[in-house]
Amino acid sequence: MSEKILVTRSSMPGFEEYIEEIRPLWDTHWLTNMGAKHQELEAQLKDYLAVPNISLFSNGHMALELAIQAMGLKGEVITTPFTFASTTHAIVRNGLEPVFCDINSEDYTIDTTKIEALINDRTSAIVPVHVYGNVCNVEEIERIAKKHELKVIYDAAHTFGVKYKDSGIGCFGDASIYSFHATKVFNTIEGGAVSFKDEEFGLNLYRLKNFGIRGPEVVDGIGANAKMNEFQAAMGICNLRHINDEIEKRRKVYERYIKNLSNIEGIKIPSIQQDVLPNYSYFPVVFDNKAFGATRNEVYNRLLENNIVSRKYFYPLTNTFECFHGKFDVGLTPVALNISKRVLTLPLFADLKIEDVDNICNIILSKENRC
Ligand code: T4K
């Protein structure tokens, strides 16, 4: 049986390269709390991501949770349910009420035509998601936010290195959060960051990731511990050296999928948005079972029988989670519901072999697997 292919595979530097990077830690014995590697990576990422300010975190979720806390939001927050659990949970864990807006069926980001109807005097912010690396309609979101005096925090977990009209994606809104999890285009094992404009907000954020400590004898915020440690930062420094090659390899995989799966009746494949420099982070395919002759679940199972593990990102929708039982009406986000039942995210990582992409596509398209 051939080797199992998973939906992604962490990019890693050479073993020796990482060892060299962590060697100085044995001299200094400085392992965490914003050490030298942390500072070095922060400076490099600010530059690479082309953002005004950046703050590193232990993971993307804590970056989002504490960015929301640092913004001092109240009441309701408009967001989408077509995302990873983290987005919704970060809002709820801040004592805020998520109000779910539907997505559009083109790129699966927030449907900006439906935002204003959800705004009331309790609304304090919008948390849109650049899902799969697709850029939200940032101009329209900015217009709405300005008009209604709302804050905007983008969940940019999937958009490492993405640019829109030559600006780093983290330049939009009041803040954006990144995930540097092992499964992402760029990883620090676990890790994340917040990019932001306002330096006062940055100071708050810095304190909140370090227990709310302002100074040796002053603690004036109820913070958490969400600091990135030196081993994580060292992994980031190594991975950042190779990031352009990694994205280039991803591009080749992505383009092979496009070549193999274009013009097939009953499947919708991704496309590069206008004015966007992409990072090729995910390859979501949406199946129309009547036209295609097989359901999403049938394709998923057939791939699994062949040792290929695709994923149903993002099914189920966060507004249908058991932990929110009876709280939200999924009927209010019909497009998200429909897409979540039909989408399959295919394996995509830098070292995925082109022949494996061909094999995956052959299994998907095989006539025997369709009626
Ligand atoms: N916002 C959004 C929109 C997000 O998608 C995420 C995370 C966040 C916020 C929060 O960011 P973090 O706090 O995670 O930094 C994975 C990731 O764990 C998660 O980071 C990611 N989104 C989500 C979309 O995917 P799972 O439960 O699917 O992970 P898992 O363990 O099934 O791994 C998927 C595949 O990745 C494995 O089949 C193989 C590969 N893998 C996994 C690990 C853990 C590796 O190659 N190496 C590894 O170390 O959530």
Side-chain angles (χ1 to χ4, degrees), residues 6-10 59-61 83-84 86-87 129 155 157-158 179 181-184 191 282 311 313-314:
L6 303 175
V7 70
T8 190
R9 187 166 189 254
S10 299
N59 57 61
H61 177 80
T83 182
F84 194 55
S86 173
T87 320
V129 184
D155 182 334
H158 299 176
S179 165
H181 185 262
T183 53
K184 297 296 190 292
Y282 291 87
R311 292 294 289 265
Y313 295 134
F314 288 101

Side-chain angles (χ1 to χ4, degrees), residues 110-159:
I110 193 164
D111 182 343
T112 51
T113 65
K114 297 188 178 146
I115 297 177
E116 284 195 279
L118 300 172
I119 297 174
N120 62 42
D121 55 10
R122 297 191 64 232
T123 313
S124 61
I126 311 173
V127 176
V129 184
H130 296 306
V131 68
Y132 303 134
N134 290 339
V135 174
C136 297
N137 185 343
V138 290
E139 280 115 358
E140 186 58 8
I141 292 169
E142 187 178 339
R143 185 194 69 74
I144 295 168
K146 265 204 180 122
K147 180 174 161 198
H148 298 275
E149 296 181 11
L150 303 176
K151 298 287 185 196
V152 179
I153 303 176
Y154 283 102
D155 182 334
H158 299 176
T159 31

Side-chain angles (χ1 to χ4, degrees), residues 157-286:
H158 299 176
T159 31
F160 183 87
V162 169
K163 289 196 169 151
Y164 176 62
K165 293 189 175 166
D166 291 330
S167 292
I169 198 64
C171 296
F172 299 93
D174 296 282
S176 298
I177 73 96
Y178 295 88
S179 165
F180 307 151
H181 185 262
T183 53
K184 297 296 190 292
V185 170
F186 165 80
N187 84 78
T188 58
I189 310 172
E190 289 266 3
V194 181
S195 63
F196 54 92
K197 293 198 181 98
D198 180 35
E199 292 190 4
E200 190 57 38
F201 167 82
L203 280 176
N204 273 340
L205 200 58
Y206 185 91
R207 287 180 205 127
L208 289 178
K209 76 175 167 189
N210 190 27
F211 310 101
I213 296 172
R214 181 182 284 267
E217 298 183 3
V218 184
V219 180
D220 61 356
I222 303 171
N225 179 358
K227 292 163 284 159
M228 178 181 283
N229 70 49
E230 292 291 273
F231 289 83
Q232 291 173 284
M235 183 62 106
I237 290 168
C238 293
N239 279 336
L240 199 56
R241 275 188 207 118
H242 307 286
I243 190 68
N244 292 339
D245 289 346
E246 292 290 295
I247 293 177
E248 179 55 20
K249 286 183 182 173
R250 281 176 169 273
R251 184 181 69 78
K252 291 193 173 131
V253 172
Y254 179 99
E255 286 182 352
R256 188 68 169 204
Y257 273 128
I258 296 283
K259 178 172 174 281
N260 291 347
L261 298 178
S262 287
N263 305 317
I264 307 285
E265 213 187 323
I267 59 178
K268 180 176 180 308
I269 56 175
S271 56
I272 307 295
Q273 296 166 294
Q274 215 184 336
D275 297 320
V276 168
L277 178 73
N279 67 359
Y280 311 100
S281 49
Y282 291 87
F283 200 91
V285 178
V286 175

